[in-house]
Amino acid sequence: MTAPAGSLNAADLTAAEIVAATVTALFVPGDRPERFTKAAVAGAGVVIIDLEDAVALESKSAALAAAVEAVAPSDDGAALRALVRVNPPGSGHYDADIALLLSVAGTPGSGLLGIVVPKAEDAGGLRLLRAEMPPHLALVPLIESALGVVNALEVARVPGVTRLAFGAIDFALDIDADGGDRFLDHARSQLVLASRAAGIAAPLDSPSTHIKDSSKVIESARLARNFGFGGKLCIHPVQLASVDRAFAPTQADVEWAHSVIDADGGAAQVDGQMIDRPVTERAKRILQRARKKEQ
């Protein structure tokens, strides 16, 4: 199997650094190993093999075996580089998921990038898991409940947590709210603030439930970007281009940023806007994202 075809030069980064920098993370069901290679070459920043929601109860063991086989070292050195979303802590499958994944995590040639923990609420449990993991791997707590949101800062501050992710559908179910984006604004803000306060990478937003309507995917991704998210989970390869497009600076953004940088230290205004340090720093970030996109 091959590595994801994202724009990052994986050879120069640790697994945790790859996950911290990615904009798109594509789920693939763990019980559909025939889709693993397709997911890997679809263009996502990272692939997430899903052992939880996408897998029926009777297929859990087979999905775990397929995931471990995919990321384990092979004779031809072509292990799939992927995150794995395990089953929730306290479930009947969590311990087995963790034990088998950790058994291959430290093996030379392993493609395991890290572990995504769903229904993340308990910082203590995450701290114990992190202590068992090789330090170069990523740990991504998926916040999907009211308790998870309330504890988001504590979770984000667990040493070795790479970034948070948001599960909007399960969160809306937990608080008995409509699934529309505006009803989840508070939770999104909390995850962004917690991540920033903890000094970790900006979180990954929940997947858009729209697949064929690219305008809806772009709208959802732009909302996430404006909230301060650093990327978005995806449930279908067709969503990847729309998410990348939404998170990338527009040409107008780049032109504005250049005008601000050119005026820094000179003119007091650009297009009627006062130029001070926060404006200049925002312009620098826009240009940095634009350069990253071109790489």
Side-chain angles (χ1 to χ4, degrees):
M1 295 184 183
T2 56
S7 61
L8 297 170
N9 186 356
D12 298 331
L13 301 172
T14 67
E17 288 170 338
I18 291 171
V19 173
T22 196
V23 172
T24 53
L26 176 63
F27 282 113
V28 60
D31 60 346
R32 301 298 299 271
E34 72 278 6
R35 295 185 183 178
F36 290 177
T37 300
K38 293 180 180 179
V41 299
V46 295
V47 169
I48 305 175
I49 300 176
D50 188 12
L51 305 182
E52 192 209 12
D53 286 345
V55 179
L57 184 61
E58 62 271 17
S59 300
K60 295 286 187 182
S61 296
L64 174 59
V68 170
E69 181 180 0
V71 301
S74 59
D75 293 338
D76 61 5
L80 176 69
R81 302 199 73 189
L83 290 164
V84 177
R85 175 164 74 169
V86 297
N87 286 285
S91 70
H93 300 276
Y94 176 79
D95 289 342
D97 291 349
I98 296 299
L100 276 180
L101 289 171
L102 291 183
S103 72
V104 300
T107 307
S110 170
L112 184 67
L113 293 176
I115 295 174
V116 179
V117 179
K119 312 299 188 293
E121 300 172 340
D122 176 28
L126 290 166
R127 194 173 290 108
L128 292 174
L129 172 59
R130 180 72 260 189
E132 296 183 64
M133 295 171 58
H136 69 282
L137 295 186
L139 177 58
V140 181
L142 183 57
I143 306 299
E144 303 180 271
S145 67
L147 184 57
V149 171
V150 170
N151 291 344
L153 179 57
E154 185 180 358
V155 167
R157 282 179 168 166
V158 170
V161 162
T162 306
R163 68 196 303 184
L164 304 179
F166 183 42
I169 295 176
D170 283 283
F171 175 75
L173 177 65
D174 186 49
I175 65 170
D176 195 23
D178 188 288
D181 279 328
R182 63 166 296 182
F183 303 107
L184 309 178
D185 286 357
H186 174 71
R188 282 192 165 90
S189 294
Q190 286 296 102
L191 266 63
V192 170
L193 293 174
S195 299
R196 181 59 180 163
I200 62 174
L204 293 166
D205 189 33
S206 188
S208 171
T209 56
H210 296 276
I211 295 176
K212 294 183 178 180
D213 190 341
S214 61
S215 65
K216 292 290 187 181
V217 178
I218 291 173
E219 180 183 356
S220 178
R222 283 179 176 162
L223 176 73
R225 174 67 197 93
N226 288 335
F227 263 102
F229 282 83
K232 196 166 179 67
L233 302 169
C234 299
I235 55 176
H236 195 283
V238 76
Q239 295 178 325
L240 298 173
S242 296
V243 172
D244 275 328
R245 176 182 170 189
F247 273 83
T250 65
Q251 184 59 37
D253 290 335
V254 172
E255 291 174 356
W256 172 84
H258 277 300
S259 70
V260 169
I261 298 300
D262 292 343
D264 187 26
Q269 298 183 23
V270 171
D271 295 331
Q273 182 180 19
M274 179 68 69
I275 302 303
D276 55 9
R277 190 190 64 81
V279 175
T280 301
E281 290 302 313
R282 178 170 176 265
K284 289 178 180 178
R285 290 182 184 181
I286 288 173
L287 295 179
Q288 184 180 36
R289 289 201 299 271
R291 285 192 294 269
K292 183 185 295 186
K293 182 63 179 174
E294 292 172 356
Q295 294 175 354

